[in-house]
Amino acid sequence: MEFLIASAIAVLTAAGVYLVLRRRTFPVVLGLAFLSYAINVFLFAMGRLVIDRPPLYDKAAESYTDPLPQALVLTAIVIAFGMTAFVVVLALRSYLETGVDRVDGRPDAEADQ
C-alpha cells in the first residue's frame, strides 16, 4: 500500500510541475491544484497508513490511529480551496484586463516571435 501511495504522490507532483510550467493560465491553476493534492496525500501518509483503526475514542478498539494528520489535511484542503479560488479570480482579472490568457500577458503572435 505504501508503494501505491508513493506512486500517486509522485504522479500528482510530476503532473503539477508540468502544468505549472505551461504558458496558459488554466493549466497553471490545474497544476497548483495537483500540487496541493500531492501535498495533502503526503501529509496524510506521514501519519502512518493503518487500516481499521479509529482515530476517535472507542471502548471496543484495541488501538488507535493518529488523528493529527487527518486534521492537518482537512485544514490544508480548506486553505487549498481558498488559494485556488484566489488564483482563478486573479487569472480571470488578468484575462479581462489584457485580453489574453497567457501567464506573461503578451499576445500569442508577439510571444511566439
Side-chain angles (χ1 to χ4, degrees), residues 4 13 15 17 31 36 38 54 57 59 62 66 68 78 80 83 88 93 96 99-100 109:
L4 191 64
T13 303
V17 168
S36 69
Y57 178 72
K59 290 181 180 179
E62 297 174 1
D66 189 11
L68 184 61
V78 171
M83 185 187 76
V88 166
R93 177 68 184 216
L96 292 176
V100 294

Side-chain angles (χ1 to χ4, degrees), residues 34 54 56 60 110:
F34 280 174
L56 301 174
E110 181 182 317

Side-chain angles (χ1 to χ4, degrees), residues 24-25 91 94-102 104-108:
R24 304 282 179 187
T25 55
S94 173
Y95 174 72
L96 292 176
E97 294 231 351
T98 62
V100 294
D101 65 342
R102 294 177 58 104
D104 56 3
R106 295 186 304 181
D108 287 339

Side-chain angles (χ1 to χ4, degrees), residues 15-53:
V17 168
Y18 176 77
L19 289 173
V20 164
L21 296 176
R22 300 290 92 195
R23 293 181 180 175
R24 304 282 179 187
T25 55
F26 182 69
V28 171
V29 172
L30 212 58
L32 288 174
F34 280 174
L35 284 175
S36 69
Y37 293 147
I39 291 169
N40 290 341
V41 173
F42 177 74
L43 282 176
F44 190 71
M46 289 297 292
R48 295 190 180 177
L49 300 173
V50 293
I51 298 174
D52 294 335
R53 291 187 184 163

